[in-house]
Amino acid sequence: MLTLSSDFGSPYPAAVKGVLSQKTTARVVDIGHDFPRGDVGAAAFWLREILPYYPPATHLAAIDPGVGTDRRAIVVRAGEHALVGPDNGVLYPPARALAVSTDGDLESFEIDESATETDLLEIPRGPATTDGNRTNDRSVTFHARDVFAPAAATVHETPPDRLDSIAGLSHVDMESLVKETIPTASVETDPDRARGEVLVVDDFGNVITNVPGAFLADRESIEANGRRIPVEAAFASVPPGDRLATVGEHGYVELDVNDGRGDEAFSLERGDDVVLEP
Amino acid sequence: MLTLSSDFGSPYPAAVKGVLSQKTTARVVDIGHDFPRGDVGAAAFWLREILPYYPPATHLAAIDPGVGTDRRAIVVRAGEHALVGPDNGVLYPPARALAVSTDGDLESFEIDESATETDLLEIPRGPATTDGNRTNDRSVTFHARDVFAPAAATVHETPPDRLDSIAGLSHVDMESLVKETIPTASVETDPDRARGEVLVVDDFGNVITNVPGAFLADRESIEANGRRIPVEAAFASVPPGDRLATVGEHGYVELDVNDGRGDEAFSLERGDDVVLEP
Amino acid sequence: MLTLSSDFGSPYPAAVKGVLSQKTTARVVDIGHDFPRGDVGAAAFWLREILPYYPPATHLAAIDPGVGTDRRAIVVRAGEHALVGPDNGVLYPPARALAVSTDGDLESFEIDESATETDLLEIPRGPATTDGNRTNDRSVTFHARDVFAPAAATVHETPPDRLDSIAGLSHVDMESLVKETIPTASVETDPDRARGEVLVVDDFGNVITNVPGAFLADRESIEANGRRIPVEAAFASVPPGDRLATVGEHGYVELDVNDGRGDEAFSLERGDDVVLEP
């Protein structure tokens, strides 16, 4: 199984899937193609939360605002999983999460983008050049299709412990990778206070903070940025349109509105500071 | 085959698919993830219209505004099909539609959500808890991933006539289920008049009413809420921007605009009254 | 493998997939369902660019503003590929692109839409008619589900060189098809100047013109509609918010903004004239 994540919208992911399907018959599952555009941190958060629910798979993640610059293209093996994408941090948090069950068994490789003579980057089919507008060169702006997809398919068809046998992949130190990290909240106990930030806002408008859900334990209400709101387990525990704090499915504190948008009610967006008090 | 329907947008459905793929290799088809948020009736309508086009399958439907409250989680077997989701009415109309070809062969079960020791709700893989923010408890707000998905995969791997052998499922009376019903129009013959309502507005802006298409038979025009419009078989029979009444693919009267939005032209939205006259 | 393209949004494509899955177990890949509504030329451009990245497949393309009128329903064989959809031009450019690798091996067929007794258009399952609103007749407005889907599944299950054995398909001359053509830019050399137009605007807001990328070769900047902008290989070569000209992955000149929308910055939309000068 392969998974595919991007900030491409539509229809570019279909070209990526075409290339994958030339080189592997494995199933391709879309994680999402509307990740916030160019936002490496938000994508890293979502992939860290979602990919661990998958069986061993090859995960292509194309959130790549630096495409065409000299940022590296990499493969990270995390236990039986592999991740393929740009070395801009987007792969680092999910790779670490996927490796937890194998005691941190991580290995990383750089893709030699000039290795066009190898199987790694081979794309057997593509548009012809008869209309004069297209060259056979790899594009500068669509590496998901022209680099990551052929590489991911080749990786997928190779046993995880044999990735170093692939011509065009060379070992690099995990420590050399760009490490996007999900910021950590600071939780103080005297007085009780959590200082964190908004990690992402989801499609419902739910404001997902980085404050661990434990902060809400045994509390009936909290002050969120100075406003008192009830602590509830379920959205429907408050009337439609009312605010609440809850522990989201990821284990963090969310600031939400039942049948409404928390981001609008709290005037919060990604990266904003959040202070929670009893 | 499994199908997946929700009002989640993106990327939450990807976590649901991850859980499914841990427990079954069956194909998963997305019916849609942008059903109107929390609108059980609209989802019930669409699923009743679409699911009968599928071969026998397990259908997971997560339109669940009461998630985390004491509404039941259920499985409904409809002939060779099974439906899994909340007992809030969303499963009832499609289950009845799927059972028509088997003379109403319906059977329903409650999922024991506390049966975490059984195969039914087992999720072999998931995020680890090392960063302190996550517990091993099932989430309160994401039952699609934590209850419906493992249950649907288990149901899918079980022969339809053996669902009662699954530990954690217990028979309940179909009559005990919440019955969302698609409202019926009243069609009067003296004088000719249909009083109905807007069932849904689709992505094109087409206004789908609950007036049976037969009302348009042999008419060249009708009055819709007091405005005279032509009756046509095809959108392109009127100029771009013009209104028309037609029989939609579901057999109901639609109020549409060729190359435009009917909801805006007629100032109608879901639930609004519609009166059609010759 | 089958691919599916439409301007339907959601959830109508799910009904199409249901019909396909009744008649074939082949995988179905979504190319996209948010092609610009009713815009045959834009869809033809995207399909011409994307489908050649696929292995041999059957491609259903339902961008069909004339559905229900007397436009023909057709099948085009292009080498080992087949395309199914309306005869409105949307299939012509991708069919020609798919046939390049087989020296223009093209063949076309009309679907006899009245051939309801044949396997070609058979749909074994569908909603029952018990609620009185539905007839067994094929819909006038949803041929993707009721004509193209059963035909595409039948075509897919037939060897490409045996399509003429399918009852309900009859040979028609390729020359008789509606030929949507992608407009060509005029490139003048004395003085240097390219006169073209905007082919499409993509989801990023990138303005894709029909000027061949070669026009940018060895230039450090150009004037686009009178405004001087740098020529760059990568978006990230200019600061966020700045304009650039680049050669897109399709080989054409794009007018873009790094981390922003080119269509807004240049005030350009599909079909607008573009003049590029040194």
Side-chain angles (χ1 to χ4, degrees):
Chain A
M1 171 176 287
L2 294 111
T3 79
L4 194 51
S5 305
S6 79
D7 58 358
F8 292 166
S10 172
Y12 290 116
V16 179
K17 291 180 202 179
V19 172
L20 290 172
S21 65
Q22 290 184 42
K23 300 185 69 172
T24 174
T25 59
R27 193 177 351 176
V28 179
V29 177
D30 295 301
I31 302 299
H33 294 292
D34 46 9
F35 286 99
R37 202 141 273 168
D39 187 336
V40 169
F45 168 77
W46 284 115
L47 296 179
R48 189 190 69 170
E49 294 300 312
I50 292 172
L51 298 187
Y53 285 99
Y54 277 79
T58 302
H59 307 284
L60 194 170
I63 292 86
D64 191 12
V67 63
T69 64
D70 58 2
R71 65 97 189 92
R72 300 184 294 188
I74 58 172
V75 176
V76 180
R77 183 182 63 74
E80 296 177 275
H81 293 263
L83 302 99
V84 179
D87 179 25
N88 63 6
V90 70
L91 304 186
Y92 194 81
R96 280 176 52 96
L98 288 168
V100 167
S101 60
T102 52
D103 292 325
D105 176 25
L106 288 161
E107 199 178 15
S108 52
F109 304 86
E110 179 172 359
I111 296 171
D112 178 357
E113 299 186 50
S114 65
T116 52
E117 304 296 299
T118 67
D119 287 347
L120 180 64
L121 298 184
E122 196 200 2
I123 302 179
R125 296 161 185 274
T129 62
T130 50
D131 62 354
N133 75 305
R134 187 184 289 274
T135 71
N136 276 315
D137 296 342
R138 184 180 308 134
S139 75
V140 174
T141 53
F142 199 5
H143 283 194
R145 182 191 69 194
D146 297 342
V147 176
F148 303 142
T154 303
V155 164
H156 189 75
E157 296 294 310
T158 308
D161 60 353
R162 297 295 310 282
L163 297 189
D164 52 9
S165 71
I166 299 176
L169 283 192
S170 54
H171 250 289
V172 293
D173 193 328
M174 273 299 288
E175 287 308 302
S176 76
L177 301 192
V178 175
K179 294 182 189 60
E180 177 80 21
T181 52
I182 314 294
T184 307
S186 111
V187 181
E188 304 155 13
T189 51
D190 186 20
D192 262 357
R193 185 188 290 129
R195 298 174 185 278
E197 67 176 75
V198 177
L199 290 180
V200 294
V201 174
D202 71 14
D203 271 10
F204 290 86
N206 298 329
V207 175
I208 301 174
T209 77
N210 61 348
V211 178
F215 187 80
L216 300 186
D218 302 322
R219 302 198 202 269
E220 292 189 354
S221 70
I222 59 166
E223 272 198 5
N225 285 3
R227 178 175 199 114
R228 182 147 302 276
I229 54 174
V231 172
E232 302 287 355
F235 282 67
S237 300
V238 302
D242 271 22
R243 293 174 177 83
L244 68 149
T246 192
V247 182
E249 44 81 24
H250 29 66
Y252 290 116
V253 175
E254 281 188 18
L255 304 177
D256 304 327
V257 168
N258 182 27
D259 196 19
R261 292 191 65 91
D263 56 342
E264 294 174 2
F266 291 96
S267 293
L268 285 171
E269 57 186 34
R270 171 161 158 68
D272 283 353
D273 290 334
V274 173
V275 178
L276 306 184
E277 293 167 299
Chain B
M1 172 176 285
L2 292 111
T3 78
L4 193 50
S5 305
S6 79
D7 58 359
F8 293 166
S10 172
Y12 291 117
V16 179
K17 292 181 202 178
V19 171
L20 290 172
S21 65
Q22 290 183 42
K23 300 186 69 172
T24 174
T25 59
R27 194 179 347 181
V28 179
V29 177
D30 294 300
I31 302 299
H33 294 292
D34 47 8
F35 287 99
R37 201 141 273 168
D39 187 337
V40 169
F45 168 76
W46 284 115
L47 296 180
R48 188 190 70 170
E49 293 301 311
I50 291 172
L51 299 187
Y53 285 100
Y54 277 79
T58 301
H59 307 283
L60 194 170
I63 292 86
D64 190 13
V67 62
T69 64
D70 58 2
R71 64 98 188 92
R72 299 183 295 188
I74 58 172
V75 176
V76 180
R77 184 183 62 73
E80 296 178 276
H81 292 263
L83 302 100
V84 179
D87 179 24
N88 63 6
V90 70
L91 303 186
Y92 194 81
R96 281 176 51 95
L98 288 168
V100 166
S101 59
T102 52
D103 293 326
D105 176 25
L106 287 161
E107 198 178 15
S108 52
F109 303 87
E110 179 173 358
I111 296 171
D112 178 357
E113 298 186 52
S114 66
T116 52
E117 304 297 298
T118 67
D119 286 348
L120 179 63
L121 298 184
E122 196 201 4
I123 302 180
R125 295 162 186 273
T129 61
T130 51
D131 63 354
N133 74 304
R134 186 183 290 273
T135 70
N136 276 315
D137 296 341
R138 185 179 308 134
S139 74
V140 174
T141 54
F142 199 4
H143 282 193
R145 181 192 69 192
D146 296 342
V147 176
F148 303 141
T154 302
V155 163
H156 189 75
E157 295 294 311
T158 308
D161 59 353
R162 297 296 310 284
L163 297 189
D164 52 10
S165 71
I166 298 176
L169 283 192
S170 53
H171 251 290
V172 293
D173 192 330
M174 272 301 286
E175 287 307 302
S176 76
L177 301 192
V178 175
K179 294 182 188 61
E180 177 79 22
T181 53
I182 314 295
T184 307
S186 111
V187 181
E188 304 155 13
T189 50
D190 187 19
D192 262 357
R193 184 188 290 128
R195 298 175 185 277
E197 67 177 76
V198 178
L199 289 179
V200 293
V201 174
D202 72 14
D203 270 10
F204 290 86
N206 298 329
V207 175
I208 302 174
T209 77
N210 61 348
V211 178
F215 187 80
L216 300 187
D218 302 321
R219 303 198 200 270
E220 291 189 356
S221 71
I222 58 166
E223 273 198 5
N225 285 4
R227 178 175 198 112
R228 182 146 302 277
I229 54 174
V231 172
E232 302 288 353
F235 281 67
S237 301
V238 302
D242 271 22
R243 293 174 178 81
L244 68 149
T246 192
V247 183
E249 44 83 23
H250 31 66
Y252 290 116
V253 174
E254 281 187 18
L255 304 177
D256 304 327
V257 167
N258 182 26
D259 195 20
R261 293 192 64 92
D263 57 341
E264 294 174 2
F266 291 96
S267 293
L268 284 171
E269 56 186 37
R270 170 161 160 67
D272 283 353
D273 290 333
V274 173
V275 178
L276 306 184
E277 293 166 300
Chain C
M1 172 175 287
L2 293 111
T3 78
L4 193 50
S5 306
S6 79
D7 57 359
F8 293 166
S10 171
Y12 291 117
V16 179
K17 292 180 202 179
V19 172
L20 290 172
S21 65
Q22 289 183 43
K23 300 186 68 172
T24 174
T25 59
R27 194 178 350 179
V28 179
V29 177
D30 294 301
I31 302 299
H33 294 292
D34 46 8
F35 286 98
R37 201 141 273 166
D39 186 337
V40 169
F45 168 76
W46 284 115
L47 296 179
R48 188 190 70 169
E49 293 300 312
I50 292 173
L51 298 187
Y53 284 100
Y54 277 80
T58 302
H59 307 285
L60 193 170
I63 292 86
D64 190 13
V67 62
T69 64
D70 58 3
R71 65 97 188 92
R72 301 184 292 187
I74 58 172
V75 176
V76 180
R77 185 182 62 72
E80 296 177 275
H81 292 263
L83 302 99
V84 179
D87 179 24
N88 63 6
V90 69
L91 303 186
Y92 193 81
R96 281 176 51 96
L98 288 168
V100 166
S101 60
T102 52
D103 292 325
D105 175 24
L106 287 160
E107 198 178 16
S108 52
F109 303 87
E110 180 173 359
I111 296 171
D112 178 358
E113 298 187 50
S114 65
T116 52
E117 304 297 298
T118 67
D119 287 347
L120 180 64
L121 297 185
E122 195 199 5
I123 302 180
R125 296 164 185 271
T129 62
T130 50
D131 63 352
N133 74 303
R134 188 184 288 275
T135 70
N136 277 315
D137 296 341
R138 185 179 307 135
S139 74
V140 174
T141 54
F142 199 4
H143 282 194
R145 182 191 67 194
D146 296 343
V147 177
F148 302 142
T154 302
V155 164
H156 190 74
E157 296 294 311
T158 308
D161 60 352
R162 297 296 309 283
L163 297 189
D164 52 9
S165 71
I166 298 176
L169 283 193
S170 54
H171 250 289
V172 293
D173 193 329
M174 272 300 288
E175 287 308 302
S176 76
L177 301 192
V178 175
K179 293 181 189 61
E180 177 79 22
T181 52
I182 314 294
T184 306
S186 110
V187 181
E188 303 156 13
T189 51
D190 188 18
D192 263 356
R193 186 188 289 129
R195 298 174 185 279
E197 67 177 75
V198 178
L199 289 180
V200 293
V201 174
D202 72 14
D203 271 9
F204 291 86
N206 298 329
V207 175
I208 302 175
T209 77
N210 61 349
V211 178
F215 187 80
L216 299 187
D218 302 322
R219 301 198 203 270
E220 292 187 356
S221 70
I222 58 166
E223 271 198 8
N225 285 4
R227 178 177 199 110
R228 182 145 302 277
I229 54 174
V231 173
E232 302 288 352
F235 282 66
S237 300
V238 302
D242 270 23
R243 293 174 177 83
L244 68 149
T246 193
V247 182
E249 44 82 24
H250 30 66
Y252 290 116
V253 174
E254 281 187 18
L255 304 177
D256 304 327
V257 167
N258 182 27
D259 195 20
R261 292 192 64 92
D263 57 341
E264 294 174 2
F266 290 96
S267 293
L268 284 171
E269 57 186 35
R270 171 160 158 67
D272 283 353
D273 289 334
V274 173
V275 178
L276 306 184
E277 292 167 299

